[in-house]
């Protein structure tokens, strides 16, 4: 809106407190606070939800790849051909053999279910999700035939194991005897402990060289699957469509969406639901702005009437009061953005403080998957929040502004 000089002057006077107008100013202040809280809440919640998705995606995909070719019965014999053909498909970055098998682990009189994972050492050392998160020991000691393994931090806690400890892996696929199959038990030395930040991984993974996993599980030269990584994870189905005919009869091709469908769909539904629910806060703030403007119009009826007799048009009065309402909204939006940014910057400290004051563990990683509160702010979503807020505030100012424009100066000034 383009305002004339007197319209700007009138809007400025109505925005600033004057004698006898303290109550109206307090109501307007509450309106600013309500808008700020609504905007901040939306930014904080959406950023945290985006952070959840991004962190889970990076960590889960960092360990499991964007797609897997899983062999029938847990064995993939012709994996070298499949890996070579996958690498020739445009968009495929890497294809790595992998072994994963659920087993039992025992140490210090404790028993836990684990997921034994066999990697080629060249592939493991190029995987930052593990190499960058070693908290004790070293991966350099993991060599084929060394009898060394790396385990997750939560599993180390559960088994009371540390670098140098021994753990035994129990495989049900043992050697047959006249009285039945005897489970295969192999003892390994813990060389390293890692923490990727996903509780389910940190409490289950036992990582070892590929050759040791093949020996433990008596797989010969076979592997369990081929892990694929592509340059565009959101377009993984299209990229791998050409590989589908080449794995028929050998295994099943699944992408990251199929492997984690329930988790990511639940996150998306919760994200949308939270946006809708928290938008109600902004709607309430818009009603507060409308109520403060209505009171302002009622208290300024004489001023409005005088301005009308001096030549101010209905459109001018509409612009003046819409400017007042939109200014209140703009101040609230700016305050909300600042408040949201401050909270997100100190988010983990806020969680720690609340936990300390309440004495409760608000961030149990066994429930929330991740060990820290994540955050990822999307500028597009922040823009959408700002647009939504401006739109609601604009609609809230229409009725008071039109009431001001409809003021009849004759009726107001008849007895003056």
């Amino acid at each position: 809106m383009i305002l004339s000089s007197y319209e700007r002057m009138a809007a400025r006077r109505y925005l600033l407190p004057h004698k006898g107008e303290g109550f109206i100013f307090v109501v307007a202040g509450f309106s600013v606070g309500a808008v700020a809280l609504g905007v901040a809440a939306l930014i904080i919640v959406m950023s945290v939800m985006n952070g959840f998705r991004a962190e889970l995606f990076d960590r889960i995909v960092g360990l499991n790849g964007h797609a897997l070719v899983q062999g029938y019965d847990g064995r993939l014999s012709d994996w070298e051909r499949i890996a070579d053909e996958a690498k020739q498909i445009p968009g495929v970055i890497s294809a790595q053999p992998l072994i994963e098998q659920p087993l039992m682990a025992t140490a210090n009189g404790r028993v836990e279910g684990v997921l034994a994972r066999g990697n080629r050492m060249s592939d493991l050392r190029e995987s930052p999700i593990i190499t960058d998160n070693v908290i004790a020991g070293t991966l350099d000691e993991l060599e084929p035939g060394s009898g060394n393994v790396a385990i997750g931090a939560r599993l180390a806690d559960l088994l009371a194991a540390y670098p140098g400890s021994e753990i035994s892996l129990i495989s049900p696929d043992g050697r047959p005897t006249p009285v039945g199959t005897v489970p295969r038990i192999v003892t390994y030395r813990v060389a390293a402990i890692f923490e990727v930040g996903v509780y389910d991984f940190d409490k289950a993974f036992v990582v070892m060289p590929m050759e040791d996993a093949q020996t433990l599980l008596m797989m010969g030269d076979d592997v369990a699957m081929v892990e694929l990584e592509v340059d565009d994870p959101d377009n993984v189905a299209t990229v791998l469509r050409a590989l589908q005919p080449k794995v028929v009869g050998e295994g099943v091709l699944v992408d990251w969406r199929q492997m984690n469908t329930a988790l990511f769909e639940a996150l998306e539904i919760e994200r949308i639901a939270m946006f809708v629910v928290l938008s109600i806060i902004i709607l309430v703030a818009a009603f507060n702005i409308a109520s403060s403007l209505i009171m302002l119009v009622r208290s300024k009826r004489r001023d409005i009437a005088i301005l009308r007799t001096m030549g101010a048009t209905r459109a001018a009065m509409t612009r003046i009061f819409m400017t007042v309402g939109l200014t209140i909204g703009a101040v609230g939006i700016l305050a909300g953005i600042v408040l949201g940014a401050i909270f997100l910057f100190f988010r983990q400290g806020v969680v720690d403080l609340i936990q300390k004051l309440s004495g409760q563990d608000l961030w149990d990683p066994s429930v929330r998957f991740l060990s820290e509160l994540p955050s990822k702010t999307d500028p597009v979503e922040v823009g959408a929040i700002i647009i939504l807020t401006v739109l609601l505030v604009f609609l809230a100012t229409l009725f008071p502004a039109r009431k001001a424009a409809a003021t009849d100066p004759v009726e107001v000034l008849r007895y003056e």
Side-chain angles (χ1 to χ4, degrees):
M1 291 184 296
I2 300 176
L3 303 180
S4 64
S5 58
Y6 85 87
E7 291 172 354
R8 287 194 299 270
M9 180 192 69
R12 187 164 54 249
R13 281 185 59 86
Y14 294 158
L15 281 168
L16 298 176
H18 295 283
K19 185 178 180 180
E21 299 172 353
F23 180 73
I24 296 175
F25 181 74
V26 169
V27 174
F30 281 127
S31 301
V32 171
V35 173
L37 289 176
V39 171
L42 270 174
I43 291 176
I44 291 168
V45 170
M46 300 307 294
S47 296
V48 170
M49 294 299 296
N50 288 338
F52 261 117
R53 187 182 187 279
E55 285 290 319
L56 284 173
F57 180 83
D58 290 343
R59 297 175 188 272
I60 291 174
V61 171
L63 282 172
N64 295 329
H66 298 141
L68 295 174
V69 180
Q70 298 174 326
Y72 296 125
D73 298 326
R75 290 177 178 265
L76 195 62
S77 301
D78 199 14
W79 65 269
E80 292 179 331
R81 176 189 64 82
I82 294 174
D84 290 339
E85 291 183 348
K87 292 177 183 177
Q88 296 174 9
I89 297 175
V92 176
I93 299 174
S94 67
Q96 304 172 0
L98 185 67
I99 293 176
E100 281 189 358
Q101 182 68 35
L103 302 174
M104 297 297 293
T106 178
N108 301 311
R110 306 179 184 186
V111 179
E112 295 291 337
V114 300
L115 190 63
R117 181 183 179 95
N119 289 88
R120 292 186 303 192
M121 292 312 301
S122 59
D123 297 334
L124 182 61
R125 292 193 174 97
E126 293 176 358
S127 174
I129 195 68
I130 291 181
T131 57
D132 292 350
N133 292 289
V134 175
I135 60 175
T138 175
L139 293 177
D140 295 336
E141 298 181 10
L142 264 67
E143 295 293 341
S146 65
N148 291 329
V149 297
I151 64 175
R154 306 302 175 211
L155 179 60
D157 294 338
L158 293 172
L159 295 177
Y162 53 87
S165 298
E166 290 187 346
I167 65 171
S168 297
L169 298 183
I170 306 171
S171 172
D173 295 329
R175 61 182 185 277
T177 68
V179 294
T181 300
V182 177
R184 182 176 176 81
I185 303 177
V186 181
T187 300
Y188 295 92
R189 174 181 172 272
V190 177
I193 297 174
F194 58 86
E195 183 176 18
V196 299
V198 179
Y199 182 85
D200 286 355
F201 293 166
D202 289 334
K203 78 178 181 65
F205 272 122
V206 177
V207 178
M208 63 181 66
M210 176 71 70
E211 294 82 355
D212 291 357
Q214 290 172 327
T215 300
L216 171 65
L217 301 173
M218 298 184 296
M219 297 182 67
D221 293 330
D222 295 348
V223 300
M225 62 193 75
V226 173
E227 179 187 274
L228 305 174
E229 184 178 352
V230 300
D231 56 4
D232 184 7
D234 292 326
N235 197 34
V236 63
T238 303
V239 173
L240 298 179
R241 191 173 296 141
L243 183 62
Q244 185 67 51
K246 300 176 182 179
V247 302
V248 174
E250 296 286 343
V252 179
L253 179 62
V254 293
D255 60 35
W256 65 269
R257 286 193 182 90
Q258 295 169 314
M259 290 186 284
N260 305 282
T261 300
L263 176 60
F264 285 103
E265 284 187 355
L267 284 175
E268 189 64 24
I269 293 172
E270 185 176 1
R271 180 168 161 269
I272 295 173
M274 292 301 291
F275 185 90
V276 173
V277 171
L278 291 175
S279 296
I280 297 175
I281 300 177
I282 299 178
L283 182 60
V284 172
F287 283 131
N288 284 340
I289 292 176
S291 63
S292 64
L293 285 180
I294 290 172
M295 287 189 291
L296 181 62
V297 170
R298 293 285 297 176
S299 67
K300 296 296 183 181
R301 291 184 68 218
R302 185 171 180 275
D303 292 2
I304 295 170
I306 293 174
L307 287 173
R308 288 295 312 280
T309 59
M310 294 175 64
T313 63
R314 292 178 182 270
M317 302 312 303
T318 300
R319 287 194 296 268
I320 289 172
F321 283 93
M322 290 194 69
T323 299
V324 173
L326 290 174
T327 301
I328 293 173
V331 173
I333 290 171
L334 291 175
I337 293 173
V338 173
L339 181 62
I342 293 173
F343 183 93
L344 291 174
F345 184 80
F346 296 103
R347 63 188 182 280
Q348 194 58 45
V350 172
V351 172
D352 295 340
L353 177 62
I354 295 175
Q355 289 183 154
K356 185 176 180 179
L357 294 176
S358 65
Q360 300 294 323
D361 186 3
L362 303 178
W363 196 255
D364 184 358
S366 63
V367 177
R368 296 171 178 82
F369 293 98
L370 302 178
S371 55
E372 290 187 354
L373 182 65
S375 172
K376 183 180 180 182
T377 303
D378 184 355
V380 175
E381 287 187 347
V382 174
I385 292 170
I386 292 173
I387 292 172
L388 173 65
T389 307
V390 171
L391 178 62
L392 291 177
V393 171
F394 174 80
L395 294 176
T397 61
L398 282 178
F399 176 73
R402 289 185 177 278
K403 288 292 290 183
T407 300
D408 186 354
V410 175
E411 291 292 329
V412 175
L413 301 176
R414 175 177 296 176
Y415 301 105
E416 293 292 332

